[in-house]
Amino acid sequence: MAQAAASTCEICTAGPGEHYCQQCDQLFCGSCKLSHLRTKISKNHTFLSGPSINKEEKLFCTEHEEMFLFYCQDCDTPVCRICSVEKHSRHLMTDLTKSAEKLRFEVVKNIEAKVTTSKVNLSKIEKETKTYRDEVKAVIKTITEEGNYWKNLIDKKVGSFVRLLHDEEQKTIQNITALTKVYRRDIENCQQWEKKIKEMETMADVLLFERLKKLKVDVDNIDLKPVPEGSYVSYRNKKPSGTEIDSLFGEMQFKEGKAIMEKSESQQNSRPKKSQKRYKYTCEFCG
């Protein structure tokens, strides 16, 4: 378990144990550390300082109580001086400090490369996202303009139909009105003749006969034409099919971007092979 910075110095037992000697496996305070390094036998000892001290982490070979000096590349493990002779004599050995430094350099370089690549990829994603969203706006604008074009044509056609109906209605009403006046005039004449006949009831037969003969001529001259068939108007609704509506518009194309994350072979096989789709506009009113 990591030792806190407030642990007691194992030499003077008074000061805080802030420094750990890797060779002696002991905690030192600042003063005892300086004294320890002044001693000839321990002047080359190395210390760990701060809250990261962990005495349970063995920094020495547990078999020989020797400090690790080498790194065995064949076994991928640090070894002490004795182990390098007894167990790893024919193995490829390197200095542990140099190996650690080399590994640190490789890890840092790898991290920096990944950060650089990630930033480049992020910039590319942002650029492509903006381009894609601009394309969506452009397509929406084109579709809207195309729809408005057909709407205007439809409005013009509807307007021409309505004007034609009003013109025909006006002509028909004028004819009906004229014909109505003729029949009303005939009715008025007949009513007047009926009134005259009633007034002639007291006349002598001779006079009555003469008057009726003249009246008969006027009545016979009235030609009651038959009423023409009623005016008729209708509209047969032509319901276009979905394919006819689709033919008025263009086609949209979608291209799916390739996945960035790696997938297992089964997942890759389950994905559709086609990466491009085409869609046609459909009219929701046409079924």
Side-chain angles (χ1 to χ4, degrees):
M1 181 176 62
Q3 300 295 318
S7 299
T8 305
C9 175
E10 298 181 25
I11 306 303
C12 67
T13 67
E18 298 176 331
H19 309 280
Y20 172 68
C21 179
Q22 293 178 296
Q23 287 74 23
C24 299
D25 192 22
Q26 287 181 307
L27 291 173
F28 288 74
C29 65
S31 298
C32 292
K33 173 187 175 183
L34 293 176
S35 300
H36 191 61
L37 292 175
R38 289 193 187 102
T39 305
K40 186 176 181 179
I41 193 173
S42 58
K43 67 178 182 179
N44 293 324
H45 286 193
T46 56
F47 281 85
L48 296 177
S49 301
S52 62
I53 298 173
N54 189 351
K55 291 181 63 177
E56 294 182 0
E57 291 182 357
K58 297 301 180 181
L59 303 177
F60 294 87
C61 176
T62 57
E63 183 177 353
H64 304 109
E65 293 297 329
E66 285 268 346
M67 184 178 178
F68 292 120
L69 298 176
F70 307 104
Y71 170 71
C72 179
Q73 295 188 11
D74 294 341
C75 301
D76 189 23
T77 181
V79 296
C80 68
R81 178 180 55 82
I82 299 175
C83 287
S84 67
V85 176
E86 293 182 352
K87 298 181 179 180
H88 307 270
S89 60
R90 296 185 178 181
H91 293 181
L92 179 60
M93 308 288 290
T94 57
D95 181 74
L96 182 59
T97 301
K98 292 182 179 179
S99 297
E101 181 62 23
K102 180 182 178 183
L103 182 60
R104 186 191 70 82
F105 176 79
E106 292 176 354
V107 172
V108 170
K109 186 176 181 181
N110 192 14
I111 291 174
E112 291 175 350
K114 291 186 181 300
V115 169
T116 301
T117 302
S118 296
K119 288 182 178 180
V120 171
N121 290 338
L122 182 60
S123 177
K124 182 180 178 182
I125 290 173
E126 291 175 349
K127 182 178 179 180
E128 291 181 350
T129 300
K130 183 181 182 303
T131 301
Y132 174 73
R133 299 193 72 174
D134 290 341
E135 288 174 351
V136 170
K137 291 179 181 179
V139 170
I140 291 175
K141 183 175 181 293
T142 301
I143 294 173
T144 303
E145 291 175 350
E146 194 170 21
N148 289 334
Y149 171 78
W150 292 117
K151 287 179 182 178
N152 291 333
L153 289 182
I154 292 173
D155 290 341
K156 289 180 180 179
K157 188 64 177 179
V158 171
S160 66
F161 274 152
V162 172
R163 286 192 298 272
L164 178 61
L165 280 170
H166 284 322
D167 292 343
E168 291 298 322
E169 178 188 23
Q170 187 175 7
K171 293 178 183 178
T172 301
I173 295 301
Q174 288 177 350
N175 294 333
I176 293 174
T177 301
L179 188 61
T180 301
K181 289 181 179 179
V182 171
Y183 284 113
R184 289 187 183 278
R185 185 175 62 250
D186 291 340
I187 292 174
E188 290 175 357
N189 290 334
C190 291
Q191 288 176 342
Q192 289 177 1
W193 291 331
E194 287 177 343
K195 184 178 179 181
K196 286 183 179 181
I197 292 173
K198 190 173 182 180
E199 292 174 353
M200 290 183 220
E201 290 180 355
T202 58
M203 288 184 176
D205 292 337
V206 175
L207 294 176
L208 178 61
F209 183 78
E210 292 296 330
R211 295 282 181 90
L212 289 177
K213 284 178 63 177
K214 293 179 180 180
L215 185 59
K216 182 176 180 302
V217 173
D218 294 334
V219 173
D220 291 339
N221 288 332
I222 294 179
D223 184 14
L224 294 178
K225 297 180 180 180
V227 177
E229 293 185 3
S231 299
Y232 173 81
V233 62
S234 67
Y235 178 76
R236 185 174 61 182
N237 187 10
K238 181 181 178 182
K239 188 176 181 181
S241 64
T243 54
E244 289 177 324
I245 294 296
D246 291 342
S247 65
L248 299 178
F249 293 87
E251 291 184 351
M252 286 191 296
Q253 294 183 356
F254 294 91
K255 183 178 181 181
E256 297 178 354
K258 295 182 180 179
I260 297 176
M261 304 297 293
E262 292 185 357
K263 296 182 179 294
S264 64
E265 184 177 354
S266 60
Q267 289 175 318
Q268 290 177 350
N269 292 336
S270 63
R271 290 187 62 188
K273 294 182 179 179
K274 293 183 178 179
S275 61
Q276 195 168 3
K277 296 180 181 178
R278 288 189 175 183
Y279 295 89
K280 285 188 175 181
Y281 303 111
T282 56
C283 177
E284 60 179 340
F285 304 104
C286 301

